[in-house]
């Protein structure tokens, strides 16, 4: 059971991600803006963050850079959640500081499997 912060401004995607995580026994934390997400990350120190890229105001790349520059939050795995499923994007996201990448649209089983595998891999790397 993990506490996973979802930073996502699309209500449809948020509801789906929350439902998938909760149904698997995880605890979803929700933020609809990058600044709210940063506040929650600092306060709650979740096990992982799912970060949308296109957000109103500050975008997900800027928010990730801020969290990765802060010693208090830099060890939290941040997984990009983006519709930009184009060749080359994964490398671009990793260069921006993201630890992983999940392409939207969210498909229930694939999303959960990919998320859990990614979080386990990242926490394994952290503890080595
Ligand atoms: Mn968005």
């Amino acid at each position: 059971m993990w506490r996973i912060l979802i930073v996502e401004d699309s209500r449809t995607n948020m509801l789906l991600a929350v439902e998938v995580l909760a149904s698997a026994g995880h605890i979803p934390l929700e933020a609809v803006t990058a600044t709210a997400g940063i506040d929650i990350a600092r306060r709650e120190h979740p096990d992982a963050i799912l970060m949308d890229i296109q957000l109103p105001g500050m975008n997900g790349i800027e928010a990730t850079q801020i969290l990765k520059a802060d010693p208090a939050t830099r060890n939290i795995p941040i997984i990009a959640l983006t519709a930009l499923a184009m060749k080359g994007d994964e490398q671009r996201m990793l260069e921006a500081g993201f630890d992983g990448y999940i392409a939207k649209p969210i498909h229930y089983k694939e999303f959960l499997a990919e998320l859990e595998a990614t979080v386990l891999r990242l926490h394994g790397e952290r503890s080595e």
Side-chain angles (χ1 to χ4, degrees), residues 2 5-6 9-10 22 25 31-32 63 68 88 95 97 102 104 108 121 124 127:
W2 300 319
L5 170 61
I6 307 156
D9 65 317
S10 155
V32 297
K68 290 300 181 183
E95 284 167 7
I102 295 179
K104 289 188 280 193
Y108 209 103
R121 174 175 61 78
S127 60

Short mmCIF file of all heavy atoms in Angstrom, two decimals, residues 2 5-6 9-10 22 25 31-32 63 68 88 95 97 102 104 108 121 124 127:
data_model
loop_
_atom_site.label_atom_id
_atom_site.label_comp_id
_atom_site.label_asym_id
_atom_site.label_seq_id
_atom_site.Cartn_x
_atom_site.Cartn_y
_atom_site.Cartn_z
N TRP A 2 0.68 2.06 -1.01
CA TRP A 2 1.47 3.29 -1.14
C TRP A 2 0.56 4.51 -1.11
O TRP A 2 -0.60 4.46 -1.50
CB TRP A 2 2.21 3.30 -2.47
CG TRP A 2 3.15 2.18 -2.65
CD1 TRP A 2 4.00 1.65 -1.72
CD2 TRP A 2 3.36 1.42 -3.84
NE1 TRP A 2 4.73 0.62 -2.27
CE2 TRP A 2 4.36 0.46 -3.56
CE3 TRP A 2 2.81 1.48 -5.12
CZ2 TRP A 2 4.81 -0.45 -4.52
CZ3 TRP A 2 3.26 0.58 -6.08
CH2 TRP A 2 4.25 -0.38 -5.77
N LEU A 5 0.67 10.62 -4.81
CA LEU A 5 0.13 11.94 -5.16
C LEU A 5 -0.10 12.01 -6.66
O LEU A 5 0.81 11.73 -7.44
CB LEU A 5 1.12 13.03 -4.71
CG LEU A 5 0.84 14.46 -5.19
CD1 LEU A 5 -0.51 14.96 -4.69
CD2 LEU A 5 1.97 15.38 -4.75
N ILE A 6 -1.30 12.39 -7.04
CA ILE A 6 -1.63 12.59 -8.46
C ILE A 6 -1.80 14.09 -8.69
O ILE A 6 -2.63 14.73 -8.03
CB ILE A 6 -2.95 11.88 -8.82
CG1 ILE A 6 -2.91 10.40 -8.42
CG2 ILE A 6 -3.25 12.01 -10.31
CD1 ILE A 6 -4.30 9.80 -8.21
N ASP A 9 -4.89 18.02 -13.90
CA ASP A 9 -5.99 18.99 -13.98
C ASP A 9 -7.21 18.46 -14.72
O ASP A 9 -8.27 19.08 -14.68
CB ASP A 9 -5.51 20.30 -14.61
CG ASP A 9 -5.08 20.12 -16.06
OD1 ASP A 9 -4.40 19.12 -16.35
OD2 ASP A 9 -5.42 20.98 -16.89
N SER A 10 -7.05 17.33 -15.41
CA SER A 10 -8.21 16.74 -16.09
C SER A 10 -9.02 15.93 -15.08
O SER A 10 -8.52 14.97 -14.48
CB SER A 10 -7.75 15.81 -17.23
OG SER A 10 -8.75 14.84 -17.49
N ALA A 22 -7.06 3.36 -5.71
CA ALA A 22 -7.83 2.96 -4.53
C ALA A 22 -8.26 1.50 -4.63
O ALA A 22 -8.23 0.76 -3.64
CB ALA A 22 -9.03 3.88 -4.36
N GLY A 25 -5.75 -0.81 -3.44
CA GLY A 25 -5.37 -0.69 -2.04
C GLY A 25 -4.41 0.44 -1.74
O GLY A 25 -3.93 0.57 -0.61
N ALA A 31 -4.04 16.64 -6.35
CA ALA A 31 -3.79 18.06 -6.56
C ALA A 31 -4.12 18.39 -8.01
O ALA A 31 -3.78 17.63 -8.91
CB ALA A 31 -2.33 18.40 -6.27
N VAL A 32 -4.78 19.51 -8.23
CA VAL A 32 -5.15 19.88 -9.60
C VAL A 32 -4.24 20.97 -10.17
O VAL A 32 -4.37 21.34 -11.34
CB VAL A 32 -6.63 20.32 -9.72
CG1 VAL A 32 -7.55 19.16 -9.36
CG2 VAL A 32 -6.94 21.52 -8.84
N ALA A 63 7.39 21.98 -12.04
CA ALA A 63 7.12 21.47 -10.69
C ALA A 63 8.10 20.36 -10.32
O ALA A 63 8.61 20.30 -9.19
CB ALA A 63 5.68 20.95 -10.61
N LYS A 68 12.79 18.25 -7.39
CA LYS A 68 14.09 17.57 -7.48
C LYS A 68 15.23 18.46 -6.97
O LYS A 68 16.32 17.96 -6.67
CB LYS A 68 14.36 17.13 -8.92
CG LYS A 68 13.45 15.98 -9.37
CD LYS A 68 13.64 14.75 -8.50
CE LYS A 68 12.77 13.59 -8.94
NZ LYS A 68 12.92 12.43 -8.05
N GLY A 88 10.78 9.89 -28.57
CA GLY A 88 11.71 10.91 -28.09
C GLY A 88 11.25 11.57 -26.80
O GLY A 88 12.05 12.16 -26.09
N GLU A 95 15.30 13.62 -18.95
CA GLU A 95 16.27 14.71 -18.86
C GLU A 95 15.74 15.84 -18.00
O GLU A 95 16.51 16.57 -17.37
CB GLU A 95 16.62 15.22 -20.27
CG GLU A 95 17.57 14.28 -21.02
CD GLU A 95 17.68 14.59 -22.51
OE1 GLU A 95 17.11 15.63 -22.95
OE2 GLU A 95 18.30 13.80 -23.21
N GLY A 97 14.15 15.48 -15.31
CA GLY A 97 14.22 15.11 -13.91
C GLY A 97 13.20 14.05 -13.50
O GLY A 97 13.22 13.59 -12.36
N ILE A 102 4.62 7.46 -17.93
CA ILE A 102 3.47 6.67 -18.33
C ILE A 102 2.64 7.50 -19.29
O ILE A 102 2.29 8.65 -19.00
CB ILE A 102 2.61 6.25 -17.11
CG1 ILE A 102 3.39 5.30 -16.20
CG2 ILE A 102 1.32 5.58 -17.58
CD1 ILE A 102 2.63 4.86 -14.95
N LYS A 104 -0.57 8.66 -21.42
CA LYS A 104 -2.02 8.62 -21.44
C LYS A 104 -2.46 8.28 -22.86
O LYS A 104 -1.70 8.49 -23.79
CB LYS A 104 -2.59 9.98 -21.00
CG LYS A 104 -2.37 10.25 -19.53
CD LYS A 104 -3.09 11.51 -19.06
CE LYS A 104 -2.33 12.77 -19.41
NZ LYS A 104 -2.84 13.97 -18.72
N TYR A 108 -6.90 0.93 -17.63
CA TYR A 108 -6.95 0.47 -16.24
C TYR A 108 -5.83 -0.49 -15.84
O TYR A 108 -4.96 -0.14 -15.05
CB TYR A 108 -8.32 -0.18 -16.02
CG TYR A 108 -8.82 -0.10 -14.60
CD1 TYR A 108 -9.81 0.82 -14.25
CD2 TYR A 108 -8.33 -0.96 -13.64
CE1 TYR A 108 -10.28 0.89 -12.97
CE2 TYR A 108 -8.80 -0.89 -12.34
CZ TYR A 108 -9.78 0.03 -12.00
OH TYR A 108 -10.22 0.09 -10.73
N ARG A 121 10.52 -0.52 -8.93
CA ARG A 121 11.87 -0.38 -9.50
C ARG A 121 12.57 0.84 -8.89
O ARG A 121 13.72 0.75 -8.47
CB ARG A 121 11.76 -0.22 -11.02
CG ARG A 121 13.09 0.08 -11.70
CD ARG A 121 12.95 0.10 -13.22
NE ARG A 121 12.04 1.11 -13.73
CZ ARG A 121 12.36 2.41 -13.84
NH1 ARG A 121 13.54 2.84 -13.49
NH2 ARG A 121 11.48 3.26 -14.32
N GLY A 124 13.49 0.30 -5.29
CA GLY A 124 14.60 -0.64 -5.24
C GLY A 124 15.92 0.06 -5.51
O GLY A 124 16.91 -0.15 -4.82
N SER A 127 17.11 2.12 -2.50
CA SER A 127 17.59 1.43 -1.30
C SER A 127 18.89 0.67 -1.53
O SER A 127 19.43 0.08 -0.63
CB SER A 127 16.50 0.48 -0.77
OG SER A 127 16.20 -0.48 -1.76
#
